[in-house]
Amino acid sequence: EGWVQKKAGYGWAFSPMLTTPDSLLQSYRLRLALEPAALLEPGYRLDPDLLARCRAAEHHLLDGGIETDTPDQLHDRGVRFHESLVEGSGNPFFIDTIRRVNRVRRLLSYRSMKDRARYEQHCRQHLHVLDLIEQQRLQDAAEALRDHLGHTLDNLGRIRNILTP
């Protein structure tokens, strides 16, 4: 997953991307630059079945999954949502980058799940982005996604203390 690298000689070293709470915040700043841009790629298209699956996952959380899903399930749902949006761009560079970022941020994102109060707002923001994509209002969807990621970045800054190991 890119979490550790073999040292010259003996031993292993953790990636410097995973050693501080700033790492998670930096990953969100990258996503803030990349994900909204993906929605504006020429020919952007999100498969209607995939859109429906993303919508169902958000409704599952709003119907109680926020409290009952495991951290792994919550993380995977968020990853699937955001990777699905980027995959609609058809741009392999965007897709590869978002997948790599999601793999290396998994451990840090688990710590941020101690505070689940923000998930209802996240779900509603995700549903709003999906509505805009479905209506082919991609500029508005990109702005809504930018706002969503910006709010998440702000929230993570406020819970920085629980991100510290």
Side-chain angles (χ1 to χ4, degrees):
E1 301 290 351
W3 298 340
V4 293
Q5 304 226 341
K6 184 125 175 76
K7 288 182 177 180
Y10 295 101
W12 296 86
F14 277 92
S15 167
M17 290 187 292
L18 299 171
T19 57
T20 68
D22 285 337
S23 301
L24 185 61
L25 301 176
Q26 290 166 343
S27 76
Y28 270 88
R29 285 194 293 276
L30 173 66
R31 293 175 58 208
L32 188 59
L34 183 134
E35 291 184 34
L39 272 60
L40 302 177
E41 280 289 283
Y44 182 89
R45 182 181 178 283
L46 189 60
D47 179 74
D49 291 336
L50 183 55
L51 193 143
R53 285 193 301 275
C54 288
R55 190 183 309 281
E58 300 304 321
H59 284 294
H60 160 76
L61 289 182
L62 290 171
D63 292 340
I66 291 171
E67 299 303 322
T68 60
D69 281 9
T70 65
D72 198 42
Q73 289 170 314
L74 287 173
H75 177 79
D76 288 345
R77 185 266 329 160
V79 165
R80 280 192 307 274
F81 175 83
H82 287 277
E83 286 184 3
S84 294
L85 295 186
V86 172
E87 287 168 4
S89 73
N91 184 321
F93 295 100
F94 283 12
I95 295 165
D96 183 62
T97 300
I98 195 66
R99 286 180 182 155
R100 287 175 185 259
V101 167
N102 282 332
R103 282 195 308 264
V104 298
R105 74 181 181 85
R106 178 179 290 272
L107 291 176
L108 284 171
S109 73
Y110 283 170
R111 287 192 206 123
S112 75
M113 292 177 194
K114 292 178 183 176
D115 175 15
R116 294 187 179 200
R118 58 195 167 88
Y119 277 91
E120 182 177 346
Q121 180 186 30
H122 284 196
C123 291
R124 298 203 186 286
Q125 290 169 344
H126 284 183
L127 289 168
H128 179 61
V129 170
L130 293 173
D131 289 343
L132 293 170
I133 290 172
E134 194 169 43
Q135 297 165 21
Q136 294 298 306
R137 295 173 50 198
L138 297 178
Q139 182 68 46
D140 293 335
E143 289 175 26
L145 184 56
R146 186 175 294 110
D147 288 345
H148 163 64
L149 291 167
H151 285 122
T152 302
L153 188 58
D154 291 342
N155 289 337
L156 290 173
R158 284 194 283 283
I159 61 169
R160 181 184 181 93
N161 61 318
I162 67 172
L163 297 177
T164 305

